[in-house]
Amino acid sequence: MKMRGAVALSGTLGYELDAAQLSDADKQAVKRQVAFYKQHRELVQYRTFYRLESPFESNTVAWMFVSPDQKEALLFTFVILGAVQPEPHITKLAGLDPQQTYVETDTNKMYGGDELMQLGLYTTPVQTSDFTAQVHYFKAKD
């Protein structure tokens, strides 16, 4: 899922803007962001946070949140500066159950917890501008 403003969704949600000045498209985007935040609020505010990639070491940033029972994980990845021809990038996740199978809910792709932590996930987005973000939500398969 690509989402502008994904950084604002990693903590407590808030906007610094005049809502009366928003276009209809921006109002719809805010509604989607608030709905997403409400759906994942407990995971983002109260669960284990992992900083995976630092913006001071490369052009990518990644962090994630994992539930205590390791059944849910929310991964945020960011590219700071866009590139004409971006290199493939792999993000290695943390804090998952290596024996568990996880489903990425947007794509329905299945991954092993050990696979996501040892081999990683390709997270290079199609970049149309600087400061692009992706959000990946993983849920343990029942």
Side-chain angles (χ1 to χ4, degrees):
M1 168 168 147
K2 291 184 182 180
M3 180 180 299
R4 291 186 57 98
V7 174
L9 297 176
S10 294
T12 56
L13 177 63
Y15 292 94
E16 292 184 24
L17 52 80
D18 181 354
Q21 300 295 317
L22 293 176
S23 68
D24 288 340
D26 287 340
K27 288 177 186 175
Q28 291 304 314
V30 167
K31 284 182 182 180
R32 286 190 307 275
Q33 290 170 358
V34 169
F36 177 87
Y37 186 77
K38 285 181 177 180
Q39 179 183 358
H40 300 289
R41 175 184 297 155
E42 188 170 318
L43 188 58
V44 171
Q45 285 188 346
Y46 304 112
R47 302 308 177 211
T48 304
F49 172 79
Y50 294 91
R51 181 175 294 146
L52 305 174
E53 297 176 41
S54 169
F56 303 108
E57 296 173 8
S58 72
N59 193 41
T60 59
V61 181
W63 59 71
M64 67 183 292
F65 303 89
V66 179
S67 64
D69 63 2
Q70 300 174 307
K71 300 268 185 201
E72 292 181 275
L74 190 59
L75 170 68
F76 291 81
T77 61
F78 309 88
V79 175
I80 299 167
L81 299 176
V84 175
Q85 195 159 7
E87 296 180 18
H89 184 78
I90 295 174
T91 299
K92 292 183 180 181
L93 283 64
L96 302 176
D97 178 350
Q99 304 301 315
Q100 186 64 256
T101 298
Y102 292 90
V103 177
E104 184 179 5
T105 58
D106 282 348
T107 63
N108 286 323
K109 289 184 180 176
M110 290 189 283
Y111 302 92
D114 56 348
E115 174 185 7
L116 290 168
M117 292 189 296
Q118 298 298 318
L119 300 176
L121 179 73
Y122 280 102
T123 57
T124 304
V126 175
Q127 298 168 330
T128 57
S129 64
D130 295 339
F131 308 108
T132 56
Q134 288 185 313
V135 180
H136 303 271
Y137 177 59
F138 298 92
K139 200 160 180 142
K141 186 178 176 193
D142 293 326

